[in-house]
Amino acid sequence: MRAVLVPLEGGSPVEIAKDMTLVGRQEDMDIRIDHKSVSKVHCVLVKTDGLVLLRDLGSTNGTRVNGTRIRRAALLPNDKVSFANFHFRILFGIALASIHAGDQTQQIELGDLKKVVELAAAKADANADSDPDIAIVEVQRNVLPDVYPDERK
């Protein structure tokens, strides 16, 4: 899967070439941002199964997704990602393909989207009743929060 970080202040896009990409100020980083506000080893981006995962590595000035400081997050196409004071838009999958295809993506109205979701849920329920061999996986909640608590409270 191809993924790109597009600087919001202008400049050339940065390709996320590896499946695991380190971002930081240090010389040997995959994506190097040479500024004192960026930690030496700031965060890591992981491409897997059509997703881009982001994990902050204890950076001083933080990593944000859509304005919220995070410890870890699953990124969606067009999310705004900030490393300290450097802001990017992440493009991958359909968002990246639409740029190269002249933005020929079909827009779906909210009402139509709800119908598709309801139809998919009904189909999943019907399949679950007919196939008893489908294993139910229990999801365990991680004890660490994904975002920092609101400090204003």
Side-chain angles (χ1 to χ4, degrees):
M1 172 183 73
R2 190 165 168 250
V4 174
L5 287 171
V6 180
L8 294 182
E9 289 85 21
S12 56
V14 179
E15 183 87 23
I16 303 172
K18 296 181 177 181
D19 286 340
M20 191 165 106
T21 303
L22 286 170
V23 178
R25 187 179 77 233
Q26 210 165 269
E27 296 260 346
D28 59 346
M29 293 292 105
D30 299 313
I31 297 176
R32 184 167 183 247
I33 303 173
D34 190 17
H35 192 271
K36 63 183 178 182
S37 67
V38 177
S39 295
K40 290 179 184 176
V41 182
H42 199 90
C43 66
V44 63
L45 293 160
V46 178
K47 296 189 304 186
T48 177
D49 298 329
L51 286 175
V52 177
L53 305 173
L54 171 66
R55 180 158 186 117
D56 185 84
L57 298 174
S59 65
T60 302
N61 292 314
T63 303
R64 297 179 182 274
V65 175
N66 297 324
T68 303
R69 187 169 179 172
I70 56 94
R71 289 186 175 121
R72 63 180 168 261
L75 300 178
L76 297 173
N78 290 315
D79 274 349
K80 178 183 173 187
V81 180
S82 301
F83 313 118
N85 293 317
F86 293 86
H87 311 289
F88 298 86
R89 178 95 37 216
I90 186 154
L91 300 177
F92 61 94
I94 295 173
L96 189 59
S98 69
I99 288 175
H100 296 295
D103 201 15
Q104 297 176 359
T105 304
Q106 181 180 357
Q107 184 174 353
I108 298 175
E109 298 297 324
L110 183 59
D112 294 335
L113 180 62
K114 287 179 182 177
K115 290 177 187 176
V116 170
V117 170
E118 289 170 1
L119 182 62
K123 190 172 184 179
D125 288 342
N127 288 341
D129 293 339
S130 65
D131 191 358
D133 294 333
I134 295 176
I136 298 175
V137 179
E138 184 177 329
V139 177
Q140 296 179 355
R141 178 135 178 93
N142 193 324
V143 293
L144 291 175
D146 291 336
V147 297
Y148 286 89
D150 190 3
E151 298 171 2
R152 293 174 278 181
K153 291 182 180 178

